[in-house]
Amino acid sequence: EAAVTQSPRSKVAVTGGKVTLSCHQTNNHDYMYWYRQDTGHGLRLIHYSYVADSTEKGDIPDGYKASRPSQENFSLILELASLSQTAVYFCASSDNTEVFFGKGTRLTVV
Amino acid sequence: GDSVTQTEGPVTVSESESLIINCTYSATSIAYPNLFWYVRYPGEGLQLLLKVITAGQKGSSRGFEATYNKETTSFHLQKASVQESDSAVYYCALADSGGSNAKLTFGKGTKLSVKS
């Protein structure tokens, strides 16, 4: 079964600190995505990648960097965390038929 | 850009009652987008519930149904008789292409609570 694993599942970070969210897939998919969800909003695309060592900006990339060191791993990096980045973050991978999501990471910036 | 609007939650229904969650879309990137319903059960990631890629067709899964209506640009989710285990958050979404590089646009989600 397709699997996308996110870590950590929950994190509290201080304003101005650096945060790295990790995602690992065992699906052998080329495409991976990072979305965020805020209360009152649907999931919004931050960054995505279609091949290792390459990332693309999504709809809301400001304040985020992404890294795809291998096909299996895709990280989201907040260099200077801000209060507005408190949200639930979802990683996903896709093949030609379906997008598979991780369970989400709840990030609270204080 | 593309957008999806769905029933504002939370929605509470009694077990064995019928359910409809409305979804309408606006697609500027593609004439006939692929349409999806995802579900997120407590503590889990989003799972695909059903999808329809052809206008006029109906998708179904786990007793849920949704029909792709291009005239009204709608994709409402229906179930004739809900169960307590259906309690979850439901997301309507569209994809801007049919391939593996498709990017999804989501509605805000509708939280459903089914009471016994």
Side-chain angles (χ1 to χ4, degrees):
Chain A
E1 183 172 314
V4 178
T5 305
Q6 294 182 228
S7 61
R9 293 292 315 280
S10 178
K11 183 173 181 64
V12 178
V14 295
T15 303
K18 181 177 180 178
V19 177
T20 299
L21 306 183
S22 299
C23 179
H24 178 80
Q25 56 117 343
T26 58
N27 307 324
N28 200 35
H29 291 162
D30 289 326
Y31 281 83
M32 295 188 73
Y33 308 83
W34 275 106
Y35 289 88
R36 68 175 276 175
Q37 183 176 28
D38 304 90
T39 303
H41 286 89
L43 280 73
R44 293 180 290 173
L45 182 63
I46 307 170
H47 284 288
Y48 65 100
S49 168
Y50 55 85
V51 68
D53 295 321
S54 177
T55 63
E56 306 292 332
K57 293 181 179 179
D59 299 324
I60 54 164
D62 293 346
Y64 301 93
K65 290 172 56 178
S67 174
R68 182 91 181 270
S70 64
Q71 187 192 44
E72 297 80 17
N73 295 295
F74 190 36
S75 298
L76 186 68
I77 303 151
L78 291 66
E79 294 280 4
L80 295 169
S82 67
L83 296 175
S84 64
Q85 294 176 311
T86 292
V88 179
Y89 292 83
F90 290 96
C91 178
S93 71
S94 72
D95 60 16
N96 278 319
T97 61
E98 188 172 341
V99 180
F100 298 89
F101 286 86
K103 295 186 177 183
T105 296
R106 182 173 296 278
L107 175 65
T108 303
V109 182
V110 297
Chain B
D2 299 337
S3 66
V4 174
T5 303
Q6 63 182 98
T7 299
E8 293 265 348
V11 172
T12 302
V13 297
S14 297
E15 204 164 28
S16 78
E17 286 189 346
S18 63
L19 169 74
I20 181 166
I21 299 176
N22 292 326
C23 172
T24 58
Y25 66 89
S26 173
T28 58
S29 60
I30 184 172
Y32 298 111
N34 294 350
L35 299 176
F36 306 82
W37 278 101
Y38 280 85
V39 58
R40 185 185 180 201
Y41 298 103
E44 299 294 322
L46 279 78
Q47 305 172 18
L48 179 64
L49 179 60
L50 58 86
K51 75 173 186 181
V52 179
I53 63 173
T54 303
Q57 297 296 310
K58 176 165 56 177
S60 60
S61 174
R62 308 181 209 177
F64 289 90
E65 296 181 338
T67 300
Y68 188 159
N69 188 321
K70 64 180 175 65
E71 283 78 25
T72 59
T73 62
S74 66
F75 191 55
H76 307 318
L77 183 68
Q78 301 183 74
K79 189 171 187 181
S81 176
V82 298
Q83 303 171 330
E84 202 169 349
S85 58
D86 293 326
S87 295
V89 182
Y90 293 82
Y91 298 90
C92 185
L94 67 82
D96 66 353
S97 73
S100 60
N101 61 336
K103 293 187 286 293
L104 295 168
T105 298
F106 287 87
K108 294 180 180 181
T110 302
K111 184 175 183 180
L112 171 67
S113 295
V114 179
K115 56 182 183 180
S116 56

